[in-house]
Amino acid sequence: MPDPRRPILAIFFCIVVAVQVRWSVSTIEVLFLPFNSPELINTVSGPLHLNQAGADILGAQPNDQIVAFNGQPVVNRQSLYREVMRSPLGENRLTLARGAARFLRPYKVTPQRDGYQNFWGGLLTIILNILIPALCILLGFFIAWQRPTELRSGTLLLALLGWSQMVHSNDWMRWGWSDELRIAAFFLQGFVGTAWPAAWLWFCVDFPDGRPRPSFFHVARLFFIIPAVALGLLGGAASAWLATHPSNPPWQFLFGYLPPGTSILLSYGPIFLSFAALFDRFFGERHSDQRRRLRLLLTGINLGLLPLGLMLLYTFIANKTLDDIPQPILIPGLLMFGFLPLTLAYVVLVERAFDVGVVLRQGLQYAVATRGVQAIRGLIIAGLLFFAFSIGGDTALNTPQRLTRFSLAIAAAALLSRAFVPLLAWVDRRFFREALDSERILSDLHSQITGIVDQRQLLETVAVRVSQALHVPCVAALVPVNGHYVAAHAIGCSADVTLLSSSYTVQQVKTGVQTIRELRLLAPAADLATLATLSTELLLPLAAQDRLLGILSLGPKQSEEPYSGGDLRLLESVANHTGLALENSRLTREVAQEAAQRERIHREIEIAREVQERLLPRGGPRIEGLDYAGHCRPALTIGGDYFDYIQTPSGEIGFALGDIAGKGVPAALLMASLQASLRGLTAGGITDLRELMAKLNALVYDATPKNRFATFVYALYNTQTRQMRLCSAGHNASLLLRNGSAEWIRPPGIALGLTRQTAYEQVEFTLAPGDRLILYTDGITEARAADGDEYGEARLAELAIGLGTLPAAESLTALIADVDRFAGDTPQHDDLTALVLRAL
């Protein structure tokens, strides 16, 4: 289910990006202004009033108001700068106001400093105002989006937003924005500017594994985070209020209750404590992977903050400003601040301080490593080339000086281009290749095992891949067999091991990943001896739907380094996929077995159908003076209807037709039993039709369960006298057609097999030439149309009368065709069987 925090993050991200994009546009606008004169005025909002320096330059008085430039009204600093940017270099006119008086003063727009200084100053401005804030914003929201439930991802986002806003101190640039963006910008800066140091402390205490150890820092961060967030919200709201209101907000009085030095304490206290927390964790950490991450982060912090701190310390001691520091020192020192977010990005994305996804992290590793270094190389070389070609317009240099600097810049660009080649190889080999290979192997394994059905091949593939990826020489995969877990595949260890399914070790593995250190505490000696044979360091459950389908045993890594948190997460992912693959393999085998079973059953049913077809007569004996035909069409593969022609010892011809209750194989067996019993009784010489039916009923009753029965009609035809004797056991009425009219014959009698002893009656009639007798099952009369209407006896009689003198076979075909036409697309739900007899 999607995390409900992500929509809020998405909205917040859009707001922050909108503010940063607008800030970037304003930065570029100011960067290309053809003058440098913010010292003329003493306000950043509202009417523009001259300060003392501006009054001296323009020959006016302090606090005179600037109301227009070259006749164009100006309302704030940015609108003034925009008009100046559009003006030509040279003398222009400012309109000043002093009270109600208006007067003009000339103002000369001059170029900014020389090209060398403009380029590096502009590059510094773009990096500090655009590139580094963009990196901080994207990294913070990326981690928060991937891990929305973790508090440390939220605190890191807040800290990174604070870093992105550190250079947004020129408030005057925002006064030309829309009200909405200005409110958002002032609130963002007011909030994160106060809260980010406490958030950074919280993150550092949790770093690098997200599990803070009980310490002074764990308690101290609570002391800072609550007031910092509260004051940040109040301060951000106050800044947003001032962005659109000329007066202080109603809650301004609350700030008067704060103890002196609160702002300094909340700003610098968490920063110093974060350094102390990281160093404390570093010197107390024994895990090599965690120490490496701590070392990297501390290195990045020192590289990013130490130069800036030293320069600030110099300005404090010498009573100077940063502008007084020479640019060859100032610009590299300020640019070093970028090492802080870059190092953090490296630690998070490459060193896996957060689990941000294997596949995504793979691509980012090479983007941060190779392409990142290439981008830096390209940026430096482009700067050198730009500097080289901009020298030609520097009138302060003579021709030899310009040629010398041009040649040096070109040579430096060429040398740097070659120097980065071994650096790229070293970065790739030292930091990324091995990590990328292991994660690529394990992630590719997920897709590979999905298509493997054979259990042994599946486990062998998983064992080999895990062994290669993590350099684990001993890997074994155990599966359940007859109450034991036995090794189905093993690498580098004995496969002749077993674990009882009820053992302590197996029960513990069902709850999750187990280490040998945990099992040594309570596992019995027999289990420990088995694990020693496997050189077990780690046991992973291969489970699906709460069923333990196998166990993956891993020995120590070749490097003798313990399994890191990232290793465990990757292995758990592999174990989960392997468990699902084992379940799929099991289901596939069962489906294959079931399909084979169904195929056998289907073949057996086909054989039964063939046998049943052979039981039905293909043709009867030739009878002088009688034309007859019969047909049976089952609704399923095997039917329950039955018809037969029987030659009796007395010379009569018997016509039998029955409907077995039910369908399929049970009905077919009862049909075969009925046929055998009838033929046996007839061969025994029983000539009395009532006696034959009674004995047939007793035989069916004895041979079938109580819920099985059959309706049956049997007619004996005397070829000499044309006399027909007919007896029915609960069957449909027979239809006799003579002289163009229909007569229904319904002798009494119950179905065969319902009771053991019962009596049957017979009827006798003569088949004169032209007479027809139709015997049928209820599949004919109970056939249904789409509207639910039944075919019925009336339609059968009407059709039979209309058949006239058609031969028996053609009459039978016409009858079944009419039933099909009546039913239409309605599926046949019962067997269709009929016998037609026509006297000649």
Side-chain angles (χ1 to χ4, degrees):
M1 190 172 90
D3 194 287
R5 284 165 282 240
R6 282 183 170 168
I8 300 174
L9 270 175
I11 296 172
F12 189 31
F13 173 75
C14 292
I15 295 173
V16 173
V17 168
V19 171
Q20 179 59 34
V21 169
R22 188 64 184 88
W23 176 265
S24 301
V25 172
S26 298
T27 299
I28 294 174
E29 287 178 351
V30 173
L31 185 64
F32 288 97
L33 290 176
F35 73 106
N36 187 14
S37 58
E39 69 279 1
L40 291 178
I41 55 178
N42 58 9
T43 183
V44 295
S45 63
L48 303 179
H49 296 278
L50 294 177
N51 55 22
Q52 184 64 54
D56 294 340
I57 292 173
L58 297 175
Q61 295 181 7
N63 292 323
D64 283 349
Q65 181 182 345
I66 302 175
V67 295
F69 183 88
N70 285 341
Q72 297 296 323
V74 294
V75 295
N76 54 42
R77 190 170 184 173
Q78 188 161 347
S79 64
L80 170 63
Y81 275 23
R82 185 175 292 111
E83 292 302 325
V84 174
M85 182 175 64
R86 295 171 181 170
S87 67
L89 296 177
E91 190 168 295
N92 292 270
R93 292 177 301 161
L94 281 173
T95 302
L96 304 179
R98 186 182 304 154
R102 298 286 189 274
F103 53 94
L104 299 175
R105 285 290 185 269
Y107 176 71
K108 187 175 183 180
V109 177
T110 59
Q112 294 193 55
R113 290 168 290 187
D114 61 82
Y116 168 76
Q117 293 170 326
N118 281 340
F119 168 73
W120 291 110
L123 180 62
L124 177 66
T125 300
I126 290 174
I127 291 175
L128 293 181
N129 283 267
I130 299 176
L131 298 183
I132 290 179
L135 173 62
C136 293
I137 291 170
L138 294 176
L139 178 63
F141 276 102
F142 171 72
I143 295 170
W145 184 268
Q146 292 292 324
R147 313 293 291 180
T149 60
E150 290 191 15
L151 180 59
R152 63 176 180 147
S153 65
T155 56
L156 180 58
L157 170 62
L158 189 55
L160 286 167
L161 289 180
W163 297 353
S164 73
Q165 300 294 308
M166 287 178 67
V167 294
H168 290 199
S169 57
N170 296 328
D171 292 340
W172 65 269
M173 291 174 59
R174 302 193 181 96
W175 292 104
W177 299 2
S178 65
D179 287 346
E180 294 79 5
L181 272 179
R182 191 164 61 251
I183 291 172
F186 276 103
F187 176 82
L188 186 64
Q189 186 172 6
F191 172 61
V192 301
T194 303
W196 82 259
W200 175 244
L201 172 61
W202 190 286
F203 172 77
C204 290
V205 174
D206 280 350
F207 189 82
D209 55 6
R211 293 191 291 269
R213 296 187 179 95
S215 65
F216 162 76
F217 304 104
H218 184 57
V219 178
R221 68 179 183 176
L222 295 173
F223 172 79
F224 284 101
I225 193 69
I226 297 174
V229 171
L231 290 179
L233 291 172
L234 281 175
S239 298
W241 174 279
L242 291 172
T244 54
H245 296 76
S247 60
N248 288 328
W251 59 91
Q252 184 70 27
F253 72 94
L254 294 175
F255 295 101
Y257 293 101
L258 296 176
T262 299
S263 177
I264 296 176
L265 177 64
L266 292 179
S267 297
Y268 295 102
I271 295 177
F272 287 120
L273 286 177
S274 64
F275 272 96
L278 288 173
F279 277 108
D280 177 71
R281 190 68 178 264
F282 175 75
F283 290 113
E285 183 61 58
R286 295 292 177 263
H287 197 290
S288 60
D289 287 340
Q290 310 295 23
R291 283 180 63 87
R292 184 177 67 253
R293 295 180 181 125
L294 285 162
R295 186 187 304 111
L296 286 168
L297 185 59
L298 285 169
T299 302
I301 292 174
N302 284 295
L303 288 175
L305 296 181
L306 187 59
L308 181 60
L310 291 175
M311 289 189 295
L312 291 174
L313 180 63
Y314 165 76
T315 60
F316 176 76
I317 296 174
N319 195 21
K320 294 179 181 289
T321 65
L322 288 177
D323 290 333
D324 296 322
I325 299 177
Q327 283 199 352
I329 299 175
L330 176 64
I331 292 176
L334 292 176
L335 289 177
M336 292 289 282
F337 176 75
F339 272 98
L340 188 52
L342 286 173
T343 303
L344 187 60
Y346 176 84
V347 171
V348 169
L349 301 176
V350 179
E351 291 294 330
R352 297 176 285 179
F354 284 85
D355 184 11
V356 293
V358 172
V359 177
L360 185 58
R361 188 164 60 241
Q362 285 180 12
L364 287 174
Q365 284 173 352
Y366 271 105
V368 172
T370 55
R371 290 183 176 85
V373 174
Q374 289 171 351
I376 295 173
R377 175 179 64 176
L379 183 62
I380 295 175
I381 293 174
L384 288 170
L385 293 176
F386 181 85
F387 166 68
F389 287 101
S390 66
I391 291 175
D394 192 348
T395 57
L397 301 175
N398 56 35
T399 300
Q401 288 175 325
R402 288 199 297 269
L403 289 175
T404 301
R405 294 191 180 187
F406 178 82
S407 302
L408 289 175
I410 295 296
L415 289 175
L416 277 174
S417 180
R418 295 186 61 85
F420 267 82
V421 174
L423 176 62
L424 281 168
W426 179 82
V427 168
D428 182 69
R429 181 178 63 256
R430 172 63 181 83
F431 294 107
F432 299 96
R433 176 63 64 182
E434 183 175 356
L436 178 61
D437 286 347
S438 64
E439 292 195 2
R440 177 177 293 164
I441 289 172
L442 294 180
S443 60
D444 290 346
L445 178 62
H446 295 170
S447 58
Q448 183 178 0
I449 63 177
T450 303
I452 299 178
V453 176
D454 182 72
Q455 176 180 284
R456 185 175 184 82
Q457 181 185 357
L458 169 65
L459 295 175
E460 181 179 354
T461 302
V462 171
V464 170
R465 288 287 185 169
V466 170
S467 177
Q468 292 174 348
L470 298 179
H471 306 289
V472 181
C474 300
V475 180
L478 291 79
V479 295
V481 176
N482 298 328
H484 292 77
Y485 280 83
V486 301
H489 184 77
I491 299 175
C493 55
S494 174
D496 188 19
V497 293
T498 60
L499 280 171
L500 281 173
S501 300
S502 58
S503 66
Y504 172 83
T505 299
V506 172
Q507 299 307 312
Q508 288 299 110
V509 172
K510 288 181 179 180
T511 64
V513 178
Q514 300 294 316
T515 64
I516 190 64
R517 184 180 305 173
E518 296 168 335
L519 292 172
R520 282 197 183 108
L521 298 176
L522 296 173
D527 287 5
L528 294 177
T530 301
L531 298 179
T533 304
L534 295 173
S535 301
T536 300
E537 184 77 14
L538 199 67
L539 291 176
L540 297 167
L542 308 178
Q545 299 178 350
D546 297 329
R547 297 176 64 248
L548 186 62
L549 303 175
I551 300 173
L552 190 64
S553 169
L554 303 182
K557 297 166 70 172
Q558 281 183 336
S559 61
E560 298 184 356
E561 292 289 338
Y563 291 95
S564 66
D567 293 335
L568 292 178
R569 284 189 290 271
L570 284 169
L571 288 171
E572 285 176 350
S573 176
V574 170
N576 290 335
H577 282 77
T578 305
L580 292 175
L582 284 173
E583 179 69 4
N584 290 337
S585 174
R586 183 185 67 82
L587 293 175
T588 301
R589 290 196 305 272
E590 291 183 357
V591 168
Q593 293 172 357
E594 184 177 345
Q597 180 69 12
R598 283 201 304 269
E599 182 63 27
R600 276 197 307 273
I601 294 174
H602 178 72
R603 181 55 188 157
E604 291 171 358
I605 291 175
E606 283 294 318
I607 293 173
R609 182 185 63 79
E610 294 173 1
V611 171
Q612 186 183 45
E613 286 181 351
R614 292 192 184 98
L615 293 177
L616 297 176
R618 297 179 179 273
R622 179 180 176 82
I623 302 175
E624 188 70 27
L626 187 67
D627 175 25
Y628 62 95
H631 179 72
C632 175
R633 190 176 74 188
L636 301 177
T637 304
I638 299 176
D641 282 4
Y642 158 66
F643 77 94
D644 201 0
Y645 315 128
I646 302 175
Q647 182 80 46
T648 66
S650 61
E652 294 179 304
I653 301 297
F655 297 94
L657 187 142
D659 185 358
I660 312 300
K663 299 177 180 63
V665 175
L669 293 175
L670 180 54
M671 187 208 82
S673 174
L674 176 62
Q675 183 192 51
S677 298
L678 177 62
R679 286 182 174 268
L681 292 173
T682 301
I686 299 177
T687 58
D688 187 285
L689 194 56
R690 290 165 293 190
E691 179 184 359
L692 184 144
M693 289 291 287
K695 290 186 176 182
L696 182 62
N697 172 71
L699 291 173
V700 171
Y701 180 87
D702 292 339
T704 58
K706 293 181 179 180
N707 62 341
R708 292 289 176 184
F709 61 91
T711 63
F712 184 70
V713 60
Y714 188 54
L716 283 175
Y717 179 71
N718 190 310
T719 58
Q720 301 298 324
T721 63
R722 291 180 174 266
Q723 191 74 16
M724 180 74 77
R725 292 182 293 154
L726 186 145
C727 198
S728 175
H731 199 72
N732 303 81
S734 302
L735 178 60
L736 178 62
L737 299 163
R738 56 177 42 165
N739 300 324
S741 62
E743 177 183 344
W744 296 99
I745 302 175
R746 307 176 191 272
I750 65 173
L752 302 176
L754 292 179
T755 61
R756 196 175 192 285
Q757 294 182 348
T758 185
Y760 295 92
E761 300 294 333
Q762 73 176 13
V763 294
E764 297 183 9
F765 54 89
T766 302
L767 283 182
D771 291 351
R772 283 171 294 159
L773 179 65
I774 299 179
L775 310 179
Y776 60 91
T777 61
D778 56 10
I780 299 288
T781 53
E782 293 180 2
R784 294 182 181 274
D787 58 2
D789 188 20
E790 289 188 352
Y791 189 77
E793 293 181 346
R795 283 190 178 85
L796 175 60
E798 182 181 356
L799 174 73
I801 292 173
L803 294 176
T805 60
L806 282 177
E810 296 180 16
S811 298
L812 184 60
T813 301
L815 170 60
I816 294 176
D818 190 63
V819 172
D820 289 340
R821 179 197 58 75
F822 173 79
D825 295 332
T826 305
Q828 178 183 337
H829 71 280
D830 200 0
D831 302 334
L832 297 178
T833 306
L835 280 173
V836 177
L837 286 72
R838 184 172 72 95
L840 301 176

